[in-house]
Amino acid sequence: AAPTLVAVSKFQPLSALWAAYEEDHRVFGENYVQELLGKCRELPSDVQWHFIGHLQSNKVKALLEGCPNLEAIETVDSIKLANRLNRVATELKRPPLKVYVQINSSGEASKHG
């Protein structure tokens, strides 16, 4: 398959996302749950959203409920988070999400994974 360009919308106004959308871009990434939820409501449902920030377990339900066209979570950094995502997705009867596992290969305590 061809690579997918994820346009990161962090700190970008909706007008910038609409401009990209009008040029046929359909895959956007966002770092913050509240930002993604707001933008998800404003853009058409054919946009595929990727969550690319650190996701806390207590925000999983809001994210999965609030963005039906969430395609992927790129920052799964713990078994606890993976289990929570699975549990909530099952409860909501969502189609499977793409999940990217984040691994802390450096061993640095300040890094996630």
Side-chain angles (χ1 to χ4, degrees), residues 6 26-33 35-37 39-41 44-53 55 59-76 85 88-89 92 94-99:
V6 178
R26 295 295 185 270
V27 184
F28 294 92
E30 182 57 60
N31 288 60
Y32 301 104
V33 171
E35 289 286 319
L36 190 149
L37 294 176
K39 291 171 181 175
C40 182
R41 285 189 286 271
S45 62
D46 65 332
V47 168
Q48 297 174 9
W49 286 99
H50 287 225
F51 186 76
I52 60 173
L55 181 59
K59 295 186 179 180
V60 164
K61 188 169 186 176
L63 180 61
L64 297 186
E65 278 183 330
C67 188
N69 47 330
L70 181 67
E71 168 97 357
I73 298 177
E74 297 192 14
T75 53
V76 175
L85 284 164
V88 172
L92 298 175
R94 279 191 60 111
L97 284 168
K98 293 178 183 172
V99 173

Side-chain angles (χ1 to χ4, degrees), residues 7-30 35-36 38-44 47-49:
V8 176
S9 64
K10 180 179 179 182
F11 302 129
Q12 296 300 312
L14 272 174
S15 59
L17 278 71
W18 274 109
Y21 182 87
E22 289 170 0
E23 295 297 324
D24 294 326
H25 196 80
R26 295 295 185 270
V27 184
F28 294 92
E30 182 57 60
E35 289 286 319
L36 190 149
K39 291 171 181 175
C40 182
R41 285 189 286 271
E42 297 295 326
L43 290 170
V47 168
Q48 297 174 9
W49 286 99

